Amino acid sequence: MNKSTYGERLFEAYLESQGIAFEREPTLPRVSQLIDFVIDHPTHGKILFEVKDIVNPMPVSGLSSFDPYKPIREHIEEGTRKFKSTADYVCGLVLAAPPGSFVQLNKPYVMLGAMYGDLGFRVPLIQGPTPPEKEEVRSEFLVGKGKMVRPSRIQNTRIAALISIQEFAVWHLSMRKYMHTDDGRTINERMQDIYDGVAGLPEDSEAKETGVTVWENAAATKKLPTDLFRGEMDAWYEASGNQQILAFIGERRRALGADD
């Protein structure tokens, strides 16, 4: 086994914190490659998780373009190749961003856009002098460049879900929520509370808590069991019909306003 990456260490620590037993790179029947993590589930059998670290530099300052989907899509391609011979198993692709890497693994429009297509807008064509009722500009994912579906076919049925794992800065989240609490006091008054140490923020300003976000793949033939990844700092975007809905969010994560 090679030296563990940042993402592998983070995911391993997360599984241990949740009491989830796992194997590291075991040999599997009819699977040609070693998979990073394998867990035994009582109803779904062996579930395979491959971890990918996304190392992406900060965007260039000044006038420039930035494609938030590109680094994620590249790693979905890598995961697809790794899971080439795993049709008998449920598979999840875990994505992590090491410190200093710029990638938006917690933004729904980025993650779902990487999966299904660039976020765009559908604008109604108005013909005639009287606009039709209930016609409005709406945002939607435009099929074309996404890695799970293509314009003429379903592209990726093997990966059950993308799983973002990250360390949440607890002090920062608590401070942000305190500063934006609306109870009639001013921002300056709340800032003074923080300086005076009476805001009730965590004592350790460097404290972090690890959580995962599950982005279910609507095109997958096998699904992750829904009793996984239900921790206090976890969230789950479920594919339901033609929608992707936030079906679960941990109480600690909700209280900190991590997704606000």
Side-chain angles (χ1 to χ4, degrees):
M1 184 169 60
N2 297 326
K3 184 178 179 180
S4 295
T5 67
Y6 166 83
E8 290 168 354
R9 294 192 298 272
L10 195 60
F11 191 57
E12 182 169 336
Y14 168 83
L15 293 176
E16 290 174 344
S17 74
Q18 299 298 308
I20 301 173
F22 59 88
E23 296 179 89
R24 288 286 274 119
E25 297 187 346
T27 301
L28 299 168
R30 299 178 300 281
V31 177
S32 58
Q33 301 193 63
L34 296 178
I35 305 299
D36 290 328
F37 293 85
V38 177
I39 71 171
D40 273 306
H41 190 270
T43 59
H44 286 62
K46 291 187 182 299
I47 303 178
L48 282 48
F49 296 98
E50 183 69 13
V51 181
K52 296 295 182 185
D53 285 48
I54 303 181
V55 179
N56 194 53
M58 292 289 293
V60 178
S61 60
L63 184 62
S64 62
S65 62
F66 168 66
D67 182 355
Y69 310 116
K70 185 175 184 289
I72 299 167
R73 287 172 176 166
E74 289 175 347
H75 286 77
I76 294 175
E77 289 279 9
E78 290 184 17
T80 301
R81 290 192 290 270
K82 195 66 179 284
F83 290 132
K84 186 175 181 180
S85 59
T86 61
D88 295 334
Y89 300 91
V90 178
C91 304
L93 182 63
V94 182
L95 301 177
S101 179
F102 185 79
V103 59
Q104 298 167 302
L105 294 178
N106 203 34
K107 299 290 187 183
Y109 79 90
V110 173
M111 296 300 296
L112 299 176
M115 295 168 69
Y116 302 123
D118 294 7
L119 181 66
F121 299 92
R122 185 173 296 277
V123 181
L125 175 63
I126 307 299
Q127 294 181 318
T130 305
E133 293 183 2
K134 298 183 179 180
E135 287 288 347
E136 58 184 16
V137 177
R138 65 179 187 269
S139 60
E140 60 182 56
F141 296 107
L142 307 177
V143 174
K145 297 180 181 179
K147 291 301 178 182
M148 302 310 185
V149 294
R150 304 300 290 171
S152 60
R153 69 186 187 280
I154 300 297
Q155 167 113 342
N156 196 324
T157 62
R158 188 68 48 81
I159 298 174
L162 301 184
I163 302 157
S164 307
I165 185 165
Q166 68 185 100
E167 294 179 293
F168 291 93
V170 176
W171 188 92
H172 175 78
L173 290 173
S174 300
M175 180 273 293
R176 186 182 69 177
K177 184 170 184 178
Y178 186 83
M179 292 292 289
H180 291 90
T181 298
D182 185 10
D183 64 354
R185 302 179 69 217
T186 68
I187 291 290
N188 287 338
E189 288 174 324
R190 293 190 166 279
M191 189 176 296
Q192 189 62 50
D193 287 349
I194 294 173
Y195 289 146
D196 294 340
V198 296
L201 303 184
E203 292 184 6
D204 183 2
S205 62
E206 301 298 321
K208 293 181 174 62
E209 294 184 23
T210 302
V212 303
T213 307
V214 177
W215 312 91
E216 208 172 61
N217 177 15
T221 54
K222 299 180 187 301
K223 301 294 185 181
L224 284 176
T226 55
D227 59 351
L228 289 179
F229 308 122
R230 297 280 169 159
E232 287 292 298
M233 289 298 293
D234 299 339
W236 190 301
Y237 283 83
E238 179 181 295
S240 177
N242 62 351
Q243 294 182 315
Q244 204 95 9
I245 60 173
L246 179 57
F248 170 82
I249 183 169
E251 287 303 317
R252 173 72 167 152
R253 182 163 168 167
R254 186 189 300 276
L256 286 169
D259 301 283
D260 293 345

